[in-house]
């Protein structure tokens, strides 16, 4: 059995990636930084209380000097990150890792967060798969098919979990570790030196931040980790997903905190909509229409995109576009062409706006995205597109107006289906789920859940005049639930029952939960042999 440092417990099956030396590193990071993490999470709640009392988000007066200083820029692109025009994303199972790295995309974001269900097996086996991929030792055979890594695969970028998530199977001094630190530290410890020796580096995507001090915490962890492991300072690169409403007001400040390690910002647009609803939960004027009506062309979304591009290019880093979740539709040429037309339109909008790259969820979408960026972006990036004409005010980022938007029965049904299907799949161990020809992750389920809560809480009405009530939602849950085991692989009746009960309870709450992944984690912990926090249980 692995000998662990004093005060550290690993609960669940131990794997070769959990070595004594790695655990010492994890424990050092936890003991040095976890108290700061917890205080920053408490600060989020303080902000929410102020917003609930009627305060509005705005640009911080105390950091105005950072925003107004034109002289500073971030680190130059690291090897393999000079050209990021198409990035493919997905979880860290072995087949996905090989297919994504072989896809022809410029980079692959290997995800321990929203498209990955954090079972112990998924988290630890994912680390093994990435270690093997880094060393070109990941080739395998499955059902008679060979999976072999190409000579020059996509550049690897890793997304750890957000600050709000614990890793409850690893306790340090009887306290659960941060999921963020666990995911980052294991990958960094095992792979940073090897990557640097072979012309790449340890590159990361950082999710769910809400304040520039949360970025400072990552910066401190980066400096500590490079020193601890004997890695040259400045080797790490990190792209921050701007996917919360508070973070949209602090883009310059986030880049400033990470400037020695920054590789840009990304429009995490689905989570951004979720955050827009959640942080403005008491504001009846912020009630949004059907999810399909909240497009990138509506006021608050367009403003956030413009500001992100302007901010990144002023600081000489990548302004990455968002996800196209469409996947090819087999045996329906007309429907497939309609879906691909949406991808083309989305990517054209991004490249002509000034984005330096975009996200895709499926290898067969790569050529569409690549062709559009190749046609319109002739160099490795568009840092020269300064967007100096853009002036975004706080009111623009908060503008909920959506002309022609309405709440419909179809929208309610679609949200119930998305939330139920995803939660049931997640409980089965799957965090990346095809639903209605879209590859969905937790962000879609979170928008769906939060919209249903918002509509009930504010007594919103359908376009027919019918008021949305918990009982109205329950009727859709009851009619939708029986079909989920037939449409979502790996899901059983127990998963559906838990998901149904969860959603029904959520729409009745005075305050919707912050994250469904926190709420449902207790079920995974119970199955993994980990420490079960009763606060996470229903």
């Amino acid at each position: 059995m692995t000998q662990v440092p004093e005060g550290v417990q690993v609960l669940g099956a131990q794997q070769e990636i959990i070595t004594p030396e790695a655990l010492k590193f994890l424990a050092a990071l936890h003991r040095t930084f976890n108290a700061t993490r917890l205080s920053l999470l408490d600060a989020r709640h303080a902000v929410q209380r102020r917003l609930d009392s009627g305060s509005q988000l705005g640009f911080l007066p105390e950091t105005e000097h950072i925003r107004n200083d034109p002289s500073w820029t971030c680190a130059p692109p690291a090897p393999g990150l000079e050209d990021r025009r198409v990035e493919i994303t997905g979880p860290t199972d072995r087949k996905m890792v090989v297919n994504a790295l072989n896809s022809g995309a410029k980079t692959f974001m290997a995800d321990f967060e929203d498209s990955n269900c954090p079972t112990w097996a998924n988290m630890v086996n994912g680390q093994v798969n990435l270690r093997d991929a880094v060393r070109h030792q990941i080739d395998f055979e499955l059902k008679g098919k060979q999976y072999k890594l190409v000579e020059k695969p996509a550049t690897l970028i890793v997304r750890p979990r957000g600050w709000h998530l614990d890793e409850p199977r690893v306790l340090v001094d009887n306290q659960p570790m941060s999921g963020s630190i666990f995911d980052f530290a294991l990958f960094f410890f095992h792979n940073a030196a090897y990557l640097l020796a072979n012309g790449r580096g340890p590159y990361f995507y950082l999710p769910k931040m809400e304040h520039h001090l949360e970025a400072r915490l990552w910066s401190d962890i980066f400096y500590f980790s490079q020193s601890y492991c004997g890695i040259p300072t400045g080797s790490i690169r990190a792209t921050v997903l701007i996917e919360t409403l508070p973070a949209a007001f602090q883009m310059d400040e986030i880049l400033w905190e990470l400037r020695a390690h920054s590789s840009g910002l990304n429009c995490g647009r689905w989570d951004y909509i979720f955050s827009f609803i959640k942080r403005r939960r008491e504001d009846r004027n912020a009630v949004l229409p059907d999810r399909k009506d909240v497009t990138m062309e509506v006021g608050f979304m367009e403003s956030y995109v413009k500001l992100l591009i302007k901010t990144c290019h002023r600081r000489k880093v990548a302004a990455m576009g968002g996800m196209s979740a469409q996947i090819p539709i087999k045996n329906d040429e007309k429907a497939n062409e309609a879906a691909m037309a949406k991808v083309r339109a989305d990517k054209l909008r991004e490249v002509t706006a000034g984005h330096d790259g975009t996200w895709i969820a499926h290898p067969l979408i790569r050529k569409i995205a690549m062709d559009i960026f190749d046609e319109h972006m002739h160099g490795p990036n568009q840092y020269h597109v300064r967007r100096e004409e853009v002036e975004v005010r706080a009111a623009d980022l908060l503008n909920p107006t959506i002309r022609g938007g309405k709440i419909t029965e179809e929208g309610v049904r679609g949200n119930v289906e998305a939330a139920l299907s995803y939660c049931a799949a997640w409980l089965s161990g799957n965090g990346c789920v095809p639903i209605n020809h879209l590859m969905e992750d937790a962000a879609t389920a979170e928008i769906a859940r939060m919209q249903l809560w918002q509509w009930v809480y504010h007594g919103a009405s359908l376009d027919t005049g019918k008021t949305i009530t918990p009982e109205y939602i329950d009727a859709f849950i009851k009619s939708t639930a029986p079909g989920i085991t037939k449409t979502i692989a790996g899901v059983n009746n127990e998963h559906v029952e838990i998901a149904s009960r969860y959603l029904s309870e959520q729409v009745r709450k005075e305050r919707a939960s912050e994250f469904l992944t926190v709420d449902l984690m207790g079920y995974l912990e119970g199955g993994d042999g980990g420490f079960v926090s009763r606060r996470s249980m229903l």
Side-chain angles (χ1 to χ4, degrees):
M1 181 176 176
T2 303
Q3 297 298 308
V4 300
E6 183 178 353
V8 180
Q9 302 172 61
V10 179
L11 306 178
Q14 296 187 13
Q15 310 256 349
E16 58 184 337
I17 205 79
I18 310 293
T19 63
E21 295 79 11
L23 285 171
K24 289 178 183 178
F25 180 46
L26 292 175
L29 285 169
H30 175 90
R31 289 167 174 152
T32 305
F33 297 109
N34 196 54
T36 301
R37 175 182 77 101
L38 295 177
S39 70
L40 290 170
L41 293 177
D42 287 341
R44 291 185 184 181
H45 296 303
V47 169
Q48 185 65 65
R49 287 192 294 271
R50 291 196 296 272
L51 295 177
D52 288 346
S53 298
S55 296
Q56 293 282 359
L57 289 166
F59 297 101
L60 301 178
E62 63 268 29
T63 54
E64 185 177 10
H65 63 287
I66 293 175
R67 295 193 300 275
N68 291 343
D69 184 352
S71 66
W72 64 271
T73 57
C74 296
L81 297 179
E82 300 91 346
D83 186 335
R84 301 169 63 181
R85 65 189 62 213
V86 177
E87 299 188 329
I88 190 169
T89 76
T92 54
D93 63 273
R94 206 165 184 88
K95 179 179 174 182
M96 177 70 204
V97 170
V98 174
N99 286 342
L101 289 171
N102 288 352
S103 68
K106 293 293 186 178
T107 76
F108 165 45
M109 188 202 76
D111 192 16
F112 286 104
E113 207 225 8
D114 271 5
S115 68
N116 207 332
C117 175
T119 65
W120 181 248
N122 285 349
M123 295 296 97
V124 180
N125 288 338
Q127 293 283 351
V128 173
N129 294 337
L130 296 187
R131 182 203 62 183
D132 291 348
V134 164
R135 290 161 177 77
H136 283 242
Q137 296 173 354
I138 196 173
D139 301 355
F140 71 103
E141 181 178 331
L142 179 65
K143 296 180 180 179
K145 182 177 179 180
Q146 296 287 332
Y147 291 85
K148 182 177 177 63
L149 203 62
V150 296
E151 183 178 350
K152 294 183 178 180
T155 297
L156 180 63
I157 308 176
V158 174
R159 178 163 72 170
R161 282 168 281 183
W163 285 132
H164 60 288
L165 290 169
D166 291 338
E167 177 39 76
R169 283 76 48 124
V170 179
L171 309 182
V172 180
D173 305 324
N174 291 315
Q175 186 180 46
M177 276 204 70
S178 157
S180 306
I181 292 175
F182 179 86
D183 299 339
F184 159 79
L186 279 181
F187 179 80
F188 183 87
F189 184 84
H190 287 292
N191 301 296
Y194 189 93
L195 285 163
L196 289 166
N198 288 274
R200 287 294 184 262
Y203 306 146
F204 299 91
Y205 257 107
L206 305 179
K208 303 288 190 296
M209 285 193 277
E210 301 202 19
H211 198 281
H212 68 93
L213 294 181
E214 297 179 22
R216 180 180 298 177
L217 176 57
W218 271 120
S219 178
D220 291 344
I221 287 172
F222 291 166
Y223 281 114
F224 180 99
S225 299
Q226 289 166 134
S227 178
Y228 185 103
C229 295
I231 301 298
T233 298
S235 299
I236 293 172
R237 287 293 185 275
T239 306
V240 173
L241 288 128
I242 301 298
E243 53 187 350
T244 69
L245 185 58
F249 292 90
Q250 301 182 41
M251 295 186 200
D252 266 314
E253 293 89 334
I254 288 169
L255 288 177
W256 166 262
E257 297 291 355
L258 287 162
R259 62 195 180 279
H261 301 103
S262 179
S263 51
L265 304 176
N266 175 289
C267 287
R269 55 207 199 189
W270 308 135
D271 271 302
Y272 189 74
I273 298 169
F274 165 50
S275 177
F276 186 92
I277 300 169
K278 180 169 61 173
R279 290 292 166 253
R280 302 184 70 187
R281 63 192 183 186
E282 286 292 335
D283 187 352
R284 185 174 178 81
N285 294 321
V287 174
L288 298 180
D290 284 1
R291 183 159 42 99
K292 66 177 176 57
D293 293 332
V294 189
T295 68
M296 298 307 296
E297 286 78 26
V298 304
F300 75 92
M301 297 296 286
E302 185 179 36
S303 295
Y304 131 85
V305 167
K306 288 179 178 178
L307 182 59
L308 185 143
I309 294 168
K310 179 181 181 179
T311 302
C312 286
H313 290 176
R314 190 183 189 206
R315 307 307 180 185
K316 302 299 183 186
V317 287
M320 299 302 296
M323 170 65 75
S324 281
Q326 286 80 8
I327 56 179
I329 301 172
K330 297 178 181 178
N331 305 318
D332 191 335
E333 185 176 346
K334 185 177 180 180
N336 186 65
E337 180 50 40
M340 298 307 103
K342 290 180 180 179
V343 176
R344 293 186 191 96
D346 185 53
K347 301 317 171 193
L348 182 61
R349 177 192 55 78
E350 289 184 323
V351 72
T352 54
H355 280 295
D356 303 294
T358 190
W359 274 15
I360 60 170
H362 195 284
L364 294 180
I365 307 297
R366 180 203 63 82
K367 187 177 187 306
I368 293 173
M370 191 73 76
D371 286 350
I372 290 171
F373 269 80
D374 286 349
E375 180 180 354
H376 296 276
M377 190 173 85
H378 303 296
N381 56 59
Q382 299 195 87
Y383 295 179
H384 59 281
V385 180
R386 300 291 295 273
R387 299 303 304 268
E388 291 176 344
E389 80 285 1
V390 168
E391 292 293 336
V392 174
R393 303 165 300 154
D396 298 323
L397 294 172
L398 297 172
N399 178 14
T401 302
I402 300 178
R403 289 192 179 91
K406 55 188 177 182
I407 305 172
T408 68
E409 181 177 300
E410 180 185 1
V412 174
R413 182 185 294 108
N415 278 346
V416 169
E417 182 182 5
L420 276 186
S421 298
Y422 187 82
C423 288
W426 194 90
L427 289 163
S428 78
N430 181 11
C432 189
V433 187
I435 303 173
N436 295 326
H437 308 300
L438 298 172
M439 190 61 73
E440 305 288 20
D441 67 7
T444 301
E446 291 287 38
I447 299 172
R449 174 181 69 93
M450 192 58 65
Q451 277 203 306
L452 293 171
W453 174 86
Q454 183 189 52
W455 292 341
V456 170
Y457 181 77
H458 288 287
S461 299
L462 299 177
D463 57 342
T464 62
K466 183 178 180 62
T467 300
I468 301 172
T469 65
E471 293 74 22
Y472 182 69
I473 303 297
D474 283 344
F476 286 106
I477 294 173
K478 185 177 180 180
S479 64
T480 302
I484 291 177
T485 56
K486 300 179 180 68
T487 57
I488 306 296
V491 169
N492 63 34
N493 288 331
E494 182 182 7
H495 301 139
V496 176
E497 290 169 6
I498 294 170
S500 298
R501 186 168 69 251
Y502 173 69
L503 188 58
S504 181
E505 292 179 0
Q506 281 289 298
V507 298
R508 287 171 165 80
K509 279 181 169 286
E510 180 67 19
R511 293 282 183 267
S513 298
E514 281 284 294
F515 295 99
L516 67 84
T517 47
V518 174
D519 292 336
L520 298 176
M521 186 67 194
Y523 290 97
L524 300 186
E525 294 168 22
D528 284 344
F531 171 79
V532 179
S533 168
R534 291 299 170 188
R535 291 173 298 175
S536 296
M537 299 292 282
L538 297 179

